[in-house]
């Protein structure tokens, strides 16, 4: 039997109000939660800054960027996912960081395992999908990259 189905290595990332689905290649690194303070007069979605490989990355709360509330992980649950950027601001912002509410998990998926759903999308959402019975959101990375670009000095 010849199996021509292609699988994609993906990562399920737990947020406060949503679970995100991203291809594995979009993730540069997952690090323990630690960021410096965002300071005063900063956007609601800005958790703080991460010193990562000599860069100061803005740490984004996906939930707050999506119109929800800012949530910071507790009890050693959270991580920061550093994502590669691919949009128009890539030269200025080559990476962005998202704070998670848990440890991301690996998944190998085929096209038949993912079904697009009709859901109420926020500005940080690209689309809602169902993955083997679980709901997840594919984030709008260009929108998040634009936010990170705004927070740069």
């Amino acid at each position: 039997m010849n199996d021509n189905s292609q699988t994609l290595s993906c990562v399920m990332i737990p947020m406060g109000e949503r679970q995100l689905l991203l291809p594995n290649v979009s993730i540069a690194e997952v690090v323990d939660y630690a960021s410096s303070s965002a300071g005063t007069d900063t956007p609601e979605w800005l958790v703080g800054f991460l010193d990562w490989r000599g860069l100061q990355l803005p740490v984004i709360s996906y939930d707050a960027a999506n119109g929800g509330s800012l949530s910071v992980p507790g009890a050693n649950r959270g991580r920061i996912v550093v994502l590669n950027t691919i949009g128009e601001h890539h030269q200025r912002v080559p990476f962005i960081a998202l704070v998670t509410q848990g440890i991301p998990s690996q998944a190998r998926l085929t096209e038949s395992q993912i079904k697009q759903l009709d859901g109420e999308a926020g500005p940080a959402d690209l689309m809602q999908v169902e993955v083997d019975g679980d709901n997840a959101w594919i984030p709008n990375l260009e929108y998040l990259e634009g936010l990170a670009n705004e927070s740069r000095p």
Side-chain angles (χ1 to χ4, degrees):
M1 183 169 133
N2 187 7
D3 184 9
N4 288 329
S5 65
Q6 294 183 353
T7 61
L8 179 63
S9 294
C10 295
V11 178
M12 301 289 275
I13 304 170
M15 297 293 158
E17 298 171 11
R18 301 189 189 277
Q19 178 170 239
L20 303 184
L21 175 66
L22 282 167
N24 205 22
V25 296
S26 65
I27 297 175
E29 190 172 359
V30 177
V31 298
D32 288 337
Y33 175 74
S35 70
S36 61
S37 171
T40 58
D41 297 325
T42 58
E44 180 73 24
W45 50 263
L46 185 62
V47 176
F49 292 90
L50 173 68
D51 184 19
W52 183 75
R53 298 185 184 179
L55 300 171
Q56 282 291 109
L57 304 180
V59 179
I60 298 170
S61 165
Y62 186 84
D63 297 319
N66 222 15
S69 59
L70 177 72
S71 54
V72 181
N76 295 325
R77 291 184 8 217
R79 300 292 185 270
I80 293 177
V81 177
V82 179
L83 301 174
N84 300 302
T85 63
I86 57 171
E88 66 180 274
H89 303 291
H90 174 72
Q91 293 300 320
R92 184 163 155 81
V93 183
F95 303 97
I96 59 174
L98 296 177
V99 63
T100 75
Q101 294 298 316
I103 299 171
S105 60
Q106 298 275 338
R108 290 195 60 80
L109 302 174
T110 62
E111 186 177 348
S112 65
Q113 291 175 281
I114 302 170
K115 176 184 167 192
Q116 184 173 349
L117 301 174
D118 292 327
E120 184 75 29
D125 298 323
L126 192 58
M127 75 175 68
Q128 185 179 17
V129 295
E130 180 182 304
V131 180
D132 287 338
D134 290 328
N135 287 349
W137 289 85
I138 297 173
N140 182 340
L141 295 179
E142 288 185 27
Y143 175 77
L144 296 170
E145 183 180 326
L147 293 179
N149 186 52
E150 289 173 18
S151 71
R152 305 276 307 168

